Amino acid sequence: MPTPSDQISDIHIILFPKDLEKVRRFYADVLQWKVKTQWKGLAMFEVGPIILELLSLDHTNGKGYLPVQGCNLTLRVPDVWGLWAELRDKATVVYAL
């Protein structure tokens, strides 16, 4: 019998960056993720079953900027060294390979 988690069709991760345009450019230009939807104050990227939403601080219900703590972005790729070579000079990498 399927469980409720077996029926999940997508996962939304929502971030409220200080500089939405700078973060949008990172995902669109550096990682080359496809923009699903975009308008003023919002950008959505679809990566497999995951939707990454970037929202302006106007969408925080008056809370303002709240930094994300304890988060890593991990990408599983066939050629990790090739991806490293492509990204190392384009983005700030916290942990070098």
Side-chain angles (χ1 to χ4, degrees):
M1 180 169 187
T3 67
S5 62
D6 291 333
Q7 299 174 26
I8 295 171
S9 62
D10 57 74
I11 297 167
H12 285 244
I13 299 171
I14 303 170
L15 301 176
F16 300 92
K18 282 183 186 177
D19 187 338
L20 184 126
E21 182 56 25
K22 180 180 179 181
V23 175
R24 187 204 64 76
R25 283 193 314 266
F26 170 76
Y27 289 107
D29 300 342
V30 175
L31 294 182
Q32 298 181 353
W33 288 5
K34 181 182 171 195
V35 176
K36 177 180 174 145
T37 303
Q38 179 174 305
W39 62 82
K40 184 178 176 167
L42 175 128
M44 294 173 70
F45 297 88
E46 186 170 20
V47 183
I50 296 174
I51 306 293
L52 173 64
E53 296 183 41
L54 303 176
L55 297 175
S56 71
L57 297 180
D58 297 338
H59 296 282
T60 63
N61 296 322
K63 294 177 187 170
Y65 175 70
L66 300 171
V68 175
Q69 297 179 6
C71 180
N72 291 321
L73 173 65
T74 303
L75 305 172
R76 182 179 290 183
V77 296
D79 180 7
V80 69
W81 293 106
L83 182 62
W84 168 247
E86 182 181 331
L87 297 180
R88 70 177 161 216
D89 295 329
K90 294 180 183 177
T92 302
V93 177
V94 176
Y95 303 108
L97 295 179

